[in-house]
Structures are given as structure tokens and as C-alpha cells.
Amino acid sequence: MKKVVFSITNVRSKSDKKLSGFGYLTEGNLLCPCISKNNKPYIRIFEDVEKACHAVANKQDEFKGYITMYFTEVPVYREKDGSYDMLDLEVEYQVWYKFVKE
């Protein structure tokens, strides 16, 4: 398990929301500590980040790339009739991370 500083942004989102901070790279996956809307801590896992990211030119221990995550049966609210549709979503993220020397 290696400690990293990371930044993750949704490629298609128009907002400036970004997930960043300190996390861990283990078995090729990036583990990101997060806080829910209810102030409960949880770990978000981005799989196969090590395979998808490549070294940044002229930078030591920095990596950047894109990953795609798939979410199944996500409830999406319809305003017109107040019902929900269950959709499968595909989200593309830009990932940057750098190893932290301890």
C-alpha cells in the first residue's frame, strides 16, 4: 500500500466538483477516503487506476489517465410524473496522482 495525493474529476460534468486529497494505491486500485452527506466516513474505490494512468512527462512519481466506471440500476427521478427510472450509467473520470514520500 503506497500513500498518494490525488485529484479526480468527472470528464463530462460541467461543474467544478473535484475529489482530491490523500489516499492509498493498493493492488492497482485507488482508495479514497470520503465523507457522506450525513457526515459518515467511507472509502471510495477506483479500480485499475494503476493500469489506466501513465507517467507525466518530466515529472517524477506523477501519473495521469482516464478510467471509466459502470453503475447499474441507478434510480433517476422523472419530474413530470414523479416516477423513477432504473438506468445503467457509464461515467468517465480523469485521474491524477503522485506518490508521497514518507
Side-chain angles (χ1 to χ4, degrees):
M1 191 178 298
K2 297 178 184 176
K3 190 172 185 178
V4 296
V5 71
F6 68 89
S7 173
I8 299 172
T9 55
N10 185 331
V11 173
R12 295 182 189 148
S13 176
K14 294 179 183 176
S15 70
D16 289 337
K17 284 187 176 179
K18 180 188 322 188
L19 178 62
S20 60
F22 290 98
Y24 294 94
L25 193 65
T26 180
E27 297 176 8
N29 302 324
L30 181 60
L31 308 177
C32 305
C34 299
I35 302 288
S36 73
K37 291 179 183 179
N38 298 332
N39 289 326
K40 303 220 180 212
Y42 69 98
I43 302 293
R44 186 150 181 202
I45 300 171
F46 292 89
E47 295 179 355
D48 298 327
V49 167
E50 201 168 40
K51 290 179 187 175
C53 294
H54 305 286
V56 175
N58 301 324
K59 302 282 185 170
Q60 187 176 358
D61 293 334
E62 269 188 52
F63 297 86
K64 192 175 190 178
Y66 294 89
I67 60 167
T68 303
M69 293 182 68
Y70 302 95
F71 301 96
T72 58
E73 297 186 17
V74 177
V76 177
Y77 180 71
R78 296 178 116 193
E79 278 190 50
K80 290 183 181 178
D81 59 5
S83 66
Y84 286 90
D85 289 331
M86 299 304 277
L87 301 177
D88 293 339
L89 298 177
E90 177 180 301
V91 182
E92 187 176 19
Y93 294 101
Q94 180 180 17
V95 178
W96 170 89
Y97 67 89
K98 181 177 181 175
F99 290 107
V100 175
K101 304 215 192 286
E102 294 183 27

